[in-house]
Amino acid sequence: PVLDTWAQATGITAKAGSINTVTISEINYIVQHKLRLWFITKNANHAWYLPIRASQGEATEFFFAQKFKHGGSLVGLYNWTVDGGNGRDDNLVAIGRGGDVIPWTGEDPADDMTWSSTGTFFIGTVPRGNRIATEYGGELFMLSTLGVITMSDLLKGGNPNDPFRDNIGYRTARLLRQDMDQYQFVHGWSLDFITSTGQLMIQTPQRIDDSYRQYVYNLSTSGWGLWRDVPMLCSETWDGKLMVGTKDGRVLRMDVNADEVDIAGSTQTAITWFLLTSYLDMGQPGHFKRCAFIRPNFLSNIKPQFSTTAYYDYRTNIPLPESAGSSPEGDLWDVGLWDQAMWASDQPLPSSRTQGASGIGRTIAVGLNGSSYEDTFLASIDVMWNTGGML
């Protein structure tokens, strides 16, 4: 459902004797920790909290800035479930705009004997916005100008740029830093989990060419990918599905395998995709190779349309030929060849097509450009090549 108007909350007042009062219109982030609501206001170095199980009443002020070594306002407070040796406990993690990360443990922020910080860490400056951290499976993931890092990695002394640690953000850190350099102070950054697909998504602001880009990490394959042409101004998971708000006021729901599907289901377009494999020397470093044929092997309900290109020697600027849009009906009856054509199926079926390749180089990668109407799984890629001299 879409609400036409928004109503302001009422009933939250400042505690008598506080330095500042809580102004409802300035609250820009709310978090629940151990049955207690916390409120963060714009560009402030403190937060406000209510009594346990309270949704209104007197709010108490708590300062965080005195522990932020690198300065900046309080960005947000986030839950982090951890086992510190005495069983699992929910820590409250404060992140400053300068990049300081401080976990707090305890039950009552007003009791200095039980409420305390358990360390101070640094992740680099964080982008604009408050949704720069999220918890999943007892782990807290955080976004900064250095990339994505977890609290577990911070406790080990890791950082997003360390290639010798199993940091999920290492492989995308270089590309993400380029976006941070250009758009760090622009609204539109967020870090969220898409529970229905098991993916971690980094949403970036709209780019200067009016395009969009999202970084997506697959928890099943531990691989990163990019979403392009998704006009995502904001997003949230609802009922297990990703809901997307666009700049033109539309609300989109990612729940089908095609694109631009209206509510009646009468229209749809294929989802286009692109893949570039890693470069390989085929076991003969220094020798030139000439790729002759490429054969991708897919599993899908409807055969995808695709084109292939051989890339050489770490180049990424070679344009791929456009692939023809696939048909939602699969191969056409009276046109497709029997025992070769594949019509739409209830179960994923194998499909492949051999295509020629050209060029020469010492290392080879395969580029795939295609479109699909259904879930499409790339099982393998067969490559035929021959080897020449070293000059």
Side-chain angles (χ1 to χ4, degrees), residues 288-291 312-313 358-364 386 388-389 391:
F288 281 92
K289 293 92 182 174
R290 182 174 58 187
C291 186
Y312 296 95
D313 298 338
S358 61
I360 188 171
R362 294 180 297 275
T363 58
I364 301 176
N386 51 38
L391 298 178

Side-chain angles (χ1 to χ4, degrees), residues 44-228:
N45 54 15
H46 56 268
W48 303 81
Y49 64 89
L50 292 175
I52 292 178
R53 294 188 177 90
S55 60
Q56 59 183 355
E58 293 186 347
T60 305
E61 191 175 22
F62 189 89
F63 281 90
F64 290 92
Q66 69 270 21
K67 289 185 175 291
F68 289 161
K69 298 179 181 179
H70 297 86
S73 60
L74 176 65
V75 175
L77 300 172
Y78 312 91
N79 287 282
W80 174 45
T81 304
V82 63
D83 190 342
N86 297 320
R88 289 193 175 275
D89 191 18
D90 290 333
N91 288 2
L92 187 66
V93 178
I95 300 181
R97 187 64 66 185
D100 295 297
V101 177
I102 306 176
W104 293 78
T105 183
E107 300 293 335
D108 186 359
D111 187 353
D112 294 336
M113 300 299 294
T114 61
W115 182 263
S116 62
S117 61
T118 57
T120 302
F121 306 92
F122 180 70
I123 59 172
T125 56
V126 298
R128 189 170 184 175
N130 302 89
R131 300 176 59 181
I132 49 87
T134 183
E135 186 185 27
Y136 183 83
E139 184 61 272
L140 182 66
F141 298 81
M142 295 164 288
L143 176 66
S144 73
T145 54
L146 299 181
V148 179
I149 193 169
T150 66
M151 278 299 302
S152 296
D153 286 330
L154 285 182
L155 294 177
K156 300 174 187 176
N159 65 76
N161 302 302
D162 189 350
F164 302 106
R165 295 186 181 273
D166 189 22
N167 295 330
I168 69 167
Y170 172 71
R171 289 179 176 83
T172 191
R174 180 182 62 84
L175 186 59
L176 184 58
R177 281 200 303 270
Q178 294 176 1
D179 284 346
M180 286 284 185
D181 289 341
Q182 191 167 8
Y183 303 105
Q184 177 184 352
F185 303 106
V186 180
H187 275 299
W189 290 97
S190 70
L191 184 66
D192 300 287
F193 268 102
I194 309 174
T195 55
S196 59
T197 56
Q199 295 173 318
L200 175 69
M201 181 185 66
I202 302 174
Q203 180 182 324
T204 66
Q206 186 178 12
R207 309 173 74 80
I208 57 177
D209 61 357
D210 294 331
S211 64
Y212 295 85
R213 175 192 289 174
Q214 294 84 32
Y215 297 79
V216 182
Y217 178 77
N218 191 307
L219 294 171
S220 300
T221 62
S222 299
W224 282 95
L226 294 176
W227 286 356
R228 293 189 174 98

